[in-house]
Amino acid sequence: MKLSLGPLLWFWPKAEVLEFYAEMAENPALDIIYVGEVVCSRRQQLRTTDWIGLARDLSDAGKEVVVSAQALLESESDLKALRRLIDEAGCTIEANDLGAINLVHGQDFVAGPHLNIYNESTLATYTRFGLRRWVPPLEANRHLVETLHRSRPPGVETEVFVFGRIPLAFSARCFTARHYDLNKDDCQFKCLDHGEGLLLKTRDGQDFLTINGIQTMSAQSYNLLHEIPDMLAMGIDIIRISPQKTHFGEIVAAFDGARRGEPVRADASGWNVSGLVDGYWFGEAGITQRHARALEHPGA
């Protein structure tokens, strides 16, 4: 089982992004690193040239690098930037939009979670287009993942999202700009002021969602650390964790140990102040947590 670092979903200053990836390049636990802007084309602290250079640097550090495409390709300029990434990065592309698949048709690619693969025929169709790895939809339950993993075409890898705030939806509108009564085209890059999004609470005061520009995410972090032994038994090829600012070295170490078969002993209580969830994996409401104390009691 390999350990991957998913694409950066937040809008951070360029210096912070480069520092973060420099640290990840030195982390021996990470086998695969995804780079690229997947949320909003206006987030240009790193230009296309910067992403290409970063991909090459990480490759030189011995990492398998995958360039992630935007989940909503909205303009010719978005397609132009993606074409350049495909031509110059020298890496596999993670397609999160059918437009991206059209551009990489005939080349190996990773099917990102936003392509919504729910059945064998869809997986087989994308495989004919060049798919070599797929990431199940983030709300997929264990039964669906296991079924499609067992029936996947030969040579196709399965990669499961196991930690991070869950990207739930995208919109043509920017909710962060709307929060500040700004137009999307004049957003003043307010996402830079919120390194891990804007928290949205229910009327009862419960942490509910995270606003991240045009992306709506969960407030809580999806955490399947306690399910890694089961995934090992299933033969899952890769597990993915999503970048965040705090406790990240600890999170990487915990999942690295789990995929190596070590007992799960990490105290995850501080990994997200809004809490941890795992409901989707069990076919329940996504905001629920079945293994509330599993990390405190290994083997629970």
Side-chain angles (χ1 to χ4, degrees), residues 32-47:
I32 306 166
I33 297 181
Y34 289 76
V35 299
E37 177 55 53
V38 299
V39 178
C40 179
S41 60
R42 288 182 57 78
R43 297 181 175 184
Q44 296 186 12
Q45 286 281 303
L46 271 72
R47 302 281 185 169

Side-chain angles (χ1 to χ4, degrees), residues 55-92:
R56 291 172 177 169
D57 290 344
L58 291 169
S59 294
D60 290 343
K63 305 298 185 184
E64 178 188 336
V65 181
V66 180
V67 176
S68 296
Q70 282 178 228
L72 281 181
L73 295 168
E74 298 182 281
S75 67
E76 178 57 35
S77 61
D78 291 345
L79 292 172
K80 182 179 179 180
L82 180 56
R83 289 190 194 100
R84 186 178 174 195
L85 282 171
I86 294 170
D87 293 339
E88 298 183 29
C91 303
T92 301

